[in-house]
Amino acid sequence: MTGATEQRVREAAAALHDAITDARSEGLTVTWPRTVDDLPSIAVSETAKAKTAPATEAAKPKVK
């Protein structure tokens, strides 16, 4: 790997880190892909964001 290529990778990694950190601070969920080839399909979701506390579990019926 040449020095210029290494620098590009490090800059891209830093930019991606900053973007994901910003997204998380805004309440978004970012799902990391399994491989570098899957990076273009990184998942960013607003629907996974919890806006209210989760409901408590309903009372279970008693079994006789």
Side-chain angles (χ1 to χ4, degrees):
M1 178 167 22
T2 66
T5 301
E6 179 180 353
Q7 185 62 32
R8 285 182 46 227
V9 171
R10 292 188 184 282
E11 289 172 358
L16 182 58
H17 170 268
D18 292 347
I20 291 172
T21 301
D22 290 348
R24 286 179 175 166
S25 72
E26 293 178 17
L28 297 173
T29 299
V30 179
T31 304
W32 192 253
R34 296 182 96 157
T35 68
V36 70
D37 292 332
D38 294 333
L39 275 173
S41 64
I42 193 168
V44 180
S45 173
E46 190 173 315
T47 58
K49 177 167 64 171
K51 295 184 181 186
T52 59
T56 58
E57 186 176 336
K60 296 180 181 177
K62 295 181 182 179
V63 179
K64 293 182 179 183

